[in-house]
Amino acid sequence: MDKYAFKQEAKALLSEAEAMIDLDDSRQLDQTAATLEGYHYAPTLLWPVNGFVRMDKEKLLRVMKEAFESDDDALIRYGFDTSADLDEKRLLQMRSLLHHYRFLLRLRKGEAEAWDRFSELYEDD
């Protein structure tokens, strides 16, 4: 992937995240986080993000920017080799963060379909 395409997509992902409307109910946020923590919920990401279930939009943007700006050595420490397209890995991390955060917002809002999906993943055998 060329650097221009990488920067354009990364900026588009950051803009998407900035446009998201965060839930402004700390009680609901805490209640949802406690439930998810009880199931040891952790979204699948290329490298770990601490405290995801308690993340707000500000932290999401910070973590996405960190992925965008991460140096190659940091990604190599996470286990990627130098033959990998590291810019593509950065974008994949950003896409994944955005995807999982959208799902987290749906859970926080109490959307029945989101909780059904969660239940399929974490409760059903």
Side-chain angles (χ1 to χ4, degrees):
M1 168 174 279
D2 68 58
K3 286 293 181 187
Y4 178 77
F6 164 69
K7 287 180 181 179
Q8 290 304 108
E9 185 171 349
K11 287 178 183 180
L13 291 168
L14 286 167
S15 292
E16 236 181 285
E18 287 172 3
M20 293 177 80
I21 298 173
D22 211 348
L23 186 66
D24 191 24
D25 182 347
S26 60
R27 187 178 63 76
Q28 184 63 30
L29 188 147
D30 288 339
Q31 183 180 22
T32 304
T35 300
L36 297 175
E37 288 166 346
Y39 285 94
H40 304 285
Y41 173 75
T44 303
L45 300 166
L46 291 182
W47 57 88
V49 173
N50 292 327
F52 182 85
V53 297
R54 295 188 179 273
M55 181 180 282
D56 59 12
K57 187 170 95 172
E58 182 180 312
K59 182 175 179 183
L60 171 70
L61 288 167
R62 190 172 53 250
V63 172
M64 287 180 70
K65 286 176 185 174
E66 288 170 4
F68 173 61
E69 297 168 352
S70 60
D71 64 11
D72 290 354
D73 290 338
L75 296 183
I76 290 167
R77 282 193 299 276
Y78 283 121
F80 301 106
D81 62 44
T82 54
S83 67
D85 182 343
L86 297 179
D87 284 342
E88 186 56 45
K89 300 301 181 198
R90 289 177 183 91
L91 289 174
L92 184 54
Q93 178 77 348
M94 293 174 74
R95 286 185 213 114
S96 296
L97 282 162
L98 199 54
H99 168 79
H100 289 293
Y101 191 74
R102 277 191 195 105
F103 184 67
L104 178 62
L105 288 179
R106 291 177 60 211
L107 293 172
R108 287 176 178 169
K109 291 175 184 176
E111 286 186 22
E113 288 179 16
W115 281 106
D116 287 346
R117 178 72 178 138
F118 177 83
S119 181
E120 287 174 20
L121 296 171
Y122 282 83
E123 290 182 343
D124 297 342
D125 290 323

